[in-house]
Amino acid sequence: MRAFHGTLIHSPKLGEIEILEDTLLVVADNGRIEAVEPRVDRGKVPELLQARGMTGNQNDGEKSIDVADVQYLERTQFVAPGFVDTHNHAPQWGMRGMGQGLHILDWLDRITFPHEARFADPVHARRIYARCVTAFLQQGVTTASYYGSRHAEATDVLADICLEQGQRALVGKCNMDRNAPDTYRDTDAAESLRDTEACLAHIRSLDPDGRLLQYVLTPRFAITCTPELLRGLGDIAARSKSEAQPRGLAIQTHFNEAEQEMASTRALFPEFRDEVELYAHFGLLTPRTILAHCCYATDDELDRLGLLGCGVAHCPVSNMTVGGGFMAAPVRAFLDRGIPVGLGTDSGGGFSSSMLDAMRQALVASNAREVQSKGELKGLTIPEVFHLATMGGARVCGLQDKVGTLEVGKEFDAILVNADPVRPGVMTMVEEEDSLATVFEKFVMTGDDRNIEQVFVRGRLVKS
């Protein structure tokens, strides 16, 4: 068991930040939050723990807290939920920042596909993926939704590493059987589907109860998938629904990302009026679907997505640097319709793997969208982007009952932030007169991984 006393900060509701001072938080040995007691005097902590029967080294064979091991936080420290990255390309970890400014399909052909083709070598995959997962944990990303490469063996390696390092993850083999080089595409739909089933079976064998790992069906996008492949993936999604898992498998794809991509999709699938109709036809739009980008969408498309319950992975950094334009997604329009929204780093397309950078760029993008819409779509606020990075992302990934906030019964996926770390970084200095709200704002707007001293997933310390 673990216990902390000090400040907790989380966002249970969009637009609201809850700052709990002098709070005792207790994590049971199963990784769940057992108690959150606000307004507890520091000197009363041992007495309160004893009253709850939580102290001692062993109690009838059950683990309990040694009072001496309670972490008492300083004024510049606080505990917050871990970040949820709803859209990430793990094979692109080593190519971040390359090809900035290229149109999306040119960027794929010239930069991305040759780079991802190297993951046919599982040794190469393990080297890159180990660095990738370590770095995301260092930056407080406790949950990530990963696109693997098109290679089944490399995707299995990615899942292995996530489990080894203790990161919560959705992992999927990238499905693509056309419009890619012969060196980097599935031979046909049948091979792609066989490999998908094999990867799904591997992840279920690693983590049968889905405590940390889940498989996510991953058609890259319609351009690289034949109708046969899309239909087969939809069939897998339909078969995955059961009494125990009524919503079935998670699904992720790129959606209305760039004008070049949308024009190519219309040329390949002229029988559908838009991408909503296309993906829905193949059974790939469900409440477990994560749609990356959604930079361009009509009101009609948004209304239909809202009815289908799909979530959006907003990737503001990559939207503004790769794809062919300053693509400020209409996030306020999503939120106004109740569409779940989380943030994604889209590392590879995005030059930064930092969720803090994603939050800041989301503010910039929303301000631009407010100007473009002549004030109709209001810009986001700091509490709102923090919510998208935590609870919003958990909702998009179907994990809202497990993580995203610091509430009793949820699993302890969290970061311990120090605004005045031993190794100073670029964060704005904390002044004596600063309120906790000011300290929090300074961290969101200017902090980095040096301010994240500890990271926990299901109560396990994964960064110290």
Side-chain angles (χ1 to χ4, degrees):
M1 299 180 74
R2 299 181 182 276
F4 303 82
H5 181 269
T7 301
L8 312 183
I9 301 178
H10 66 165
S11 176
K13 293 182 180 179
L14 180 69
E16 296 181 10
I17 294 294
E18 195 169 76
I19 299 177
L20 304 174
E21 299 182 57
D22 297 319
T23 297
L24 175 65
L25 182 147
V26 179
V27 183
D29 58 2
N30 63 3
R32 292 187 182 277
I33 298 173
E34 185 165 305
V36 177
E37 299 272 0
R39 296 179 298 280
V40 174
D41 183 85
R42 183 168 293 198
K44 298 288 187 181
V45 169
E47 179 184 322
L48 183 58
L49 289 173
Q50 288 166 358
R52 295 180 70 105
M54 295 179 177
T55 56
N57 291 325
Q58 287 288 73
N59 255 335
D60 299 326
E62 295 183 3
K63 294 181 181 177
S64 55
I65 299 168
D66 187 331
V67 171
D69 291 335
V70 176
Q71 287 186 243
Y72 292 97
L73 308 185
E74 301 299 326
R75 171 178 170 270
T76 59
Q77 294 177 303
F78 61 86
V79 174
F83 299 135
V84 180
D85 188 344
T86 60
H87 181 67
N88 194 291
H89 290 269
Q92 296 175 16
W93 174 254
M95 55 167 274
R96 287 167 298 136
M98 297 174 63
Q100 303 294 289
L102 289 174
H103 283 268
I104 188 68
L105 300 184
D106 303 318
W107 177 76
L108 288 170
D109 287 338
R110 291 164 55 180
I111 306 292
T112 307
F113 289 160
H115 185 89
E116 291 189 10
R118 298 175 64 192
F119 285 76
D121 177 3
V123 175
H124 174 79
R126 175 161 281 277
R127 182 173 68 87
I128 299 297
Y129 288 157
R131 294 280 295 273
C132 172
V133 174
T134 298
F136 277 111
L137 288 172
Q138 290 290 309
Q139 296 185 87
V141 176
T142 51
T143 298
S145 186
Y146 285 123
Y147 284 59
S149 66
R150 73 101 179 156
H151 311 98
E153 188 173 0
T155 303
D156 289 348
V157 168
L158 175 58
D160 294 344
I161 289 171
C162 289
L163 193 62
E164 288 166 12
Q165 297 200 24
Q167 187 182 45
R168 193 183 300 274
L170 283 68
V171 177
K173 170 214 146 25
C174 201
N175 297 102
M176 40 193 296
D177 65 341
R178 67 167 168 177
N179 290 328
D182 289 344
T183 55
Y184 190 56
R185 64 176 175 83
D186 299 317
T187 304
D188 53 28
E191 179 194 60
S192 189
L193 294 169
R194 281 196 304 272
D195 285 349
T196 296
E197 297 275 20
C199 290
L200 172 58
H202 178 74
I203 286 176
R204 284 178 171 166
S205 71
L206 288 178
D207 190 359
D209 297 324
R211 292 179 178 177
L212 281 182
L213 297 181
Q214 294 183 34
Y215 191 80
V216 52
L217 295 169
T218 308
R220 188 175 206 117
F221 55 0
I223 293 173
T224 56
C225 296
T226 60
E228 291 76 17
L229 179 52
L230 293 174
R231 188 175 299 109
L233 293 171
D235 289 344
I236 294 174
R239 292 198 307 271
S240 71
K241 295 178 182 178
S242 65
E243 235 178 90
Q245 195 177 26
R247 300 198 325 157
L249 285 171
I251 303 165
Q252 62 184 357
T253 194
H254 297 82
F255 189 92
N256 284 9
E257 180 176 3
E259 290 178 334
Q260 187 187 35
E261 168 265 319
M262 292 167 65
S264 183
T265 302
R266 283 193 297 269
L268 287 167
F269 294 92
E271 65 272 31
F272 300 109
R273 58 176 163 153
D274 53 34
E275 292 187 24
V276 177
E277 188 172 272
L278 189 163
Y279 288 108
H281 173 80
F282 292 108
L284 295 170
L285 295 186
T286 78
R288 300 254 16 227
T289 300
I290 304 169
L291 299 174
H293 305 294
C294 300
C295 297
Y296 303 94
T298 64
D299 287 342
D300 179 56
E301 286 176 294
L302 292 179
D303 289 342
R304 282 180 283 147
L305 288 178
L307 291 173
L308 289 162
C310 305
V312 172
H314 177 43
C315 307
V317 176
S318 62
N319 289 349
M320 297 182 182
T321 50
V322 169
F326 190 85
M327 300 178 298
V331 176
R332 181 64 66 192
F334 305 148
L335 297 174
D336 287 347
R337 286 170 169 81
I339 295 172
V341 181
L343 295 181
T345 61
D346 194 17
S347 292
F351 57 81
S352 171
S353 60
S354 165
M355 285 293 287
L356 288 167
D357 281 348
M359 282 187 254
R360 296 159 194 162
Q361 198 74 352
L363 289 172
V364 173
S366 70
N367 290 337
R369 193 72 191 210
E370 181 174 346
V371 173
Q372 287 178 338
S373 68
K374 295 182 168 47
E376 182 183 345
L377 300 176
K378 296 299 182 184
L380 300 172
T381 65
I382 289 176
E384 285 177 325
V385 296
F386 179 73
H387 181 89
L388 299 187
T390 53
M391 188 58 185
R395 187 179 170 204
V396 168
C397 292
L399 297 169
Q400 66 271 24
D401 294 333
K402 285 189 172 184
V403 300
T405 57
L406 302 172
E407 297 176 272
V408 173
K410 286 202 170 181
E411 297 181 11
F412 189 63
D413 285 19
I415 59 175
L416 194 159
V417 174
N418 192 347
D420 186 22
V422 174
R423 184 165 62 101
V426 298
M427 181 176 160
T428 305
M429 63 186 293
V430 175
E431 303 280 13
E432 191 64 35
E433 66 271 16
D434 285 348
S435 66
L436 289 171
T438 299
V439 173
F440 170 74
E441 183 175 351
K442 286 181 174 181
F443 167 67
V444 170
M445 295 308 299
T446 67
D448 63 17
D449 60 294
R450 287 167 288 193
N451 298 104
I452 300 173
E453 292 191 324
Q454 294 179 339
V455 179
F456 300 87
V457 179
R458 293 193 79 238
R460 173 187 172 187
L461 183 64
V462 292
K463 172 191 176 178
S464 176

